[in-house]
Amino acid sequence: MKDVLRDMIAKRKAGIRCGIPSYCTANRLAIEAILEQAKRFDDYILIEATANQVNQTGGYTGMKPADFTKFVYEIADKVGFPKEQIVLGGDHLGPLTWADLAEEEAMANSIELVKQFVLAGFKKIHLDTSMKLASDPSDGRLSDQVIAKRGVILYQACEEALQELRKKNPDEVRPVFIIGSEVPIPGGAQEEEDSIAVTRPEAFERTVKVYEEEFARQGIQDAFENIIGVVVQPGVEFGDADVFRYDHAEARELCGALKNHEGIVFEGHSTDYQTPDSLKQMVEDGIAILKVGPALTYGLREGLFALSLIEKELIPEEKRANFIDIMEDVMMEEPGNWKKHYHGTDEEKRQARKYSFSDRCRYYMTHEKVESAIGKLFRNLDAVKIPMNMLHQYMPQQYSKVLAGGLKKKASALAKDCVVTFVEDYNYATKHNYMISNVFAR
């Protein structure tokens, strides 16, 4: 198996300003779209799962780490993408879902969590021990020393799991590690923000220093040969309707600190909805791992909404799937995944449920009623001929690709291409000589 992430670090050391997108999604159609696009270019793909999506009790997806590996590999087999060209990552691995427990129990669960991820073949591990536990003092922030101490414990657990794997395969590739957590919790911020504070260089330096000291205390000499990235806040984020665009000048001091740490890059979370040029600038500045999540299912939702409007034109009312209405009904019946995130008047919350950049719709895509509506929508439109003029009206980017012969006028293909639109932005940002095909700049 090619060691893609260490190769990326080696290329950057040689002066090649490359990067890698990190696709954080458990949506089947989105993953199909990502892998189908990667197949066209013979790419390697990094797909991540967060600790609240996937853990030893199933997470909100109902999948344990080994289940997620199987899930992704089954999709790869379906689309004919080589499994050995997939890198799996675990995000925010630590006591995130057990923060209401005391340290002993929360960390025991966290140790089991990271071990299961490593044993399931995940090769990129983000160690996140930044959250307070029930036994921690309630006043003040959690100290960097405590964060590092817990992180090192989890690093050691990962090493133990690797040695278990190597009993069967002595050539098993060692995972790479990401530390730091200057980002909102997985799923996005729960409150609207007016501004974003860029991580201070001294905060980044302190994170590295305290980890180095803790590794030394534990007699671990080579950890930073395996730690390739630190999560920072480079000044990017999004709200329901706004995007904080990357500002090279604002991040200059932070990114300049990387010159003191050869072999380390920054990992940027919440890079969704940035322009292709902003993403490319981030990679050039050293933010070489670009995490994207909600934008993928937001793109899919856009495609499904557009197809629903086409269905309204072409299919008799009594036969329609009515995906837009079904999604709204299900979200209203089961508001748990959006009510803490959407605020304002009833009308503002109604609009957010449909159009918010945080895309809480993604939590409902596997609901039985929603999946049924998607399937019916696809069948309805595949049974008729979508006029090209109507396709241009509702899906102009996909119209251009269909006209050029690069995209089939099949409902599922049209929907998935709305995910590809975002994927192309990340390919442009991280790969040399890659041209985006977007007809509209974002």
Side-chain angles (χ1 to χ4, degrees):
M1 181 178 181
K2 186 176 180 181
D3 200 342
V4 178
L5 292 165
R6 286 187 175 87
D7 285 353
M8 184 262 290
I9 296 296
K11 288 177 182 177
R12 291 192 66 91
K13 285 182 178 179
I16 302 171
R17 293 183 175 183
C18 59
I20 189 167
S22 173
Y23 299 112
C24 193
T25 182
N27 182 277
R28 182 179 295 274
L29 286 171
I31 294 173
E32 280 187 22
I34 292 164
L35 296 184
E36 286 169 351
Q37 180 70 353
K39 185 179 176 181
R40 297 182 184 108
F41 296 92
D42 196 29
D43 277 343
Y44 283 76
I45 289 295
L46 171 58
I47 296 176
E48 299 214 29
T50 61
N52 56 353
Q53 281 178 321
V54 175
N55 56 49
Q56 62 262 48
T57 62
Y60 71 73
T61 64
M63 288 187 277
K64 298 178 181 179
D67 299 324
F68 187 78
T69 300
K70 181 182 177 184
F71 171 70
V72 173
Y73 284 176
E74 285 176 348
I75 297 172
D77 287 339
K78 177 184 175 183
V79 305
F81 186 78
K83 293 190 286 290
E84 59 271 17
Q85 290 179 212
I86 297 173
V87 180
L88 295 175
D91 197 28
H92 292 285
L93 301 190
L96 174 69
T97 56
W98 302 289
D100 59 338
L101 301 177
E103 180 181 34
E104 183 177 0
E105 188 175 0
M107 285 301 293
N109 289 339
S110 302
I111 288 168
E112 178 62 22
L113 173 73
V114 297
K115 283 186 173 182
Q116 285 200 18
F117 268 83
V118 172
L119 291 171
F122 286 69
K123 295 302 180 186
K124 176 180 173 291
I125 305 294
H126 172 209
L127 301 175
D128 184 3
T129 53
S130 62
M131 60 291 301
K132 283 190 175 184
L133 306 179
S135 54
D136 291 325
S138 58
D139 57 323
R141 64 183 293 275
L142 198 60
S143 74
D144 294 308
Q145 288 73 23
V146 170
I147 292 171
K149 181 180 179 181
R150 292 171 180 171
V152 170
I153 289 171
L154 297 186
Y155 178 92
Q156 291 172 305
C158 292
E159 283 289 295
E160 290 175 13
L162 174 66
Q163 297 312 314
E164 189 173 335
L165 285 176
R166 284 184 169 173
K167 291 177 183 177
K168 296 179 180 178
N169 176 19
D171 297 323
E172 189 74 38
V173 173
R174 174 177 269 106
V176 297
F177 294 87
I178 309 295
I179 58 174
S181 48
E182 289 259 328
V183 287
I185 60 172
Q190 294 188 7
E191 302 291 341
E192 290 293 328
E193 299 177 76
D194 295 322
S195 62
I196 299 295
V198 175
T199 301
R200 296 299 306 156
E202 51 268 29
F204 157 61
E205 297 279 8
R206 187 168 60 249
T207 293
V208 173
K209 184 174 185 294
V210 294
Y211 263 94
E212 287 175 337
E213 291 172 348
E214 186 59 33
F215 279 121
R217 269 192 287 270
Q218 300 302 321
I220 303 171
Q221 304 300 323
D222 63 349
F224 272 85
E225 293 177 13
N226 304 313
I227 294 172
I228 67 162
V230 177
V231 175
V232 295
Q233 174 50 274
V236 300
E237 187 52 87
F238 53 88
D240 284 341
D242 300 303
V243 176
F244 292 90
R245 186 172 177 179
Y246 180 65
D247 187 325
H248 167 72
E250 289 290 327
R252 183 181 290 114
E253 285 187 45
L254 170 63
C255 294
L258 280 173
K259 68 178 181 295
N260 302 320
H261 301 277
E262 187 180 47
I264 288 180
V265 297
F266 288 143
E267 176 169 291
H269 290 218
S270 300
T271 69
D272 310 62
Y273 312 109
Q274 295 291 313
T275 67
D277 286 338
S278 288
L279 293 171
K280 191 174 185 68
Q281 182 68 67
M282 290 172 71
V283 172
E284 291 176 352
D285 289 348
I287 307 157
I289 303 172
L290 300 176
K291 294 293 293 293
V292 53
L296 303 169
T297 43
Y298 180 92
L300 178 63
R301 195 272 314 153
E302 278 188 318
L304 293 170
F305 272 29
L307 291 172
S308 295
L309 295 175
I310 294 173
E311 180 192 47
K312 191 173 181 180
E313 296 287 348
L314 298 177
I315 303 297
E317 184 175 359
E318 66 276 9
K319 295 183 179 181
R320 293 175 198 157
N322 296 315
F323 169 79
I324 296 175
D325 294 335
I326 295 293
M327 176 61 82
E328 172 68 1
D329 291 344
V330 169
M331 292 182 78
M332 289 299 290
E333 289 167 6
E334 302 178 20
N337 285 312
W338 61 264
K339 64 180 180 181
K340 291 181 180 179
H341 297 264
Y342 297 157
H343 310 284
T345 65
D346 287 346
E347 174 59 19
E348 287 169 335
K349 286 185 280 189
R350 184 194 70 80
Q351 290 185 22
R353 285 192 297 273
K354 284 187 173 182
Y355 306 116
S356 171
F357 282 140
S358 70
D359 186 48
R360 308 304 294 183
C361 290
R362 69 187 186 275
Y363 294 95
Y364 299 87
M365 286 290 193
T366 56
H367 191 284
E368 183 181 0
K369 291 180 182 178
V370 176
E371 280 197 330
S372 177
I374 293 171
K376 186 175 182 180
L377 174 64
F378 288 169
R379 291 191 298 274
N380 280 347
L381 292 179
D382 286 343
V384 296
K385 184 177 181 180
I386 301 175
M388 287 295 284
N389 55 2
M390 195 178 296
L391 185 65
H392 191 286
Q393 171 68 43
Y394 293 106
M395 306 182 83
Q397 295 184 58
Q398 287 64 49
Y399 163 86
S400 297
K401 294 182 181 181
V402 170
L403 190 64
L407 178 65
K408 292 181 179 179
K409 198 167 54 171
K410 183 179 179 182
S412 62
L414 294 170
K416 287 189 288 186
D417 193 69
C418 294
V419 179
V420 171
T421 298
F422 285 98
V423 171
E424 288 177 328
D425 292 350
Y426 285 85
N427 283 340
Y428 170 77
T430 58
K431 298 174 175 62
H432 289 280
N433 301 319
Y434 189 97
M435 298 299 294
I436 57 173
S437 66
N438 295 9
V439 292
F440 300 120
R442 283 196 302 281

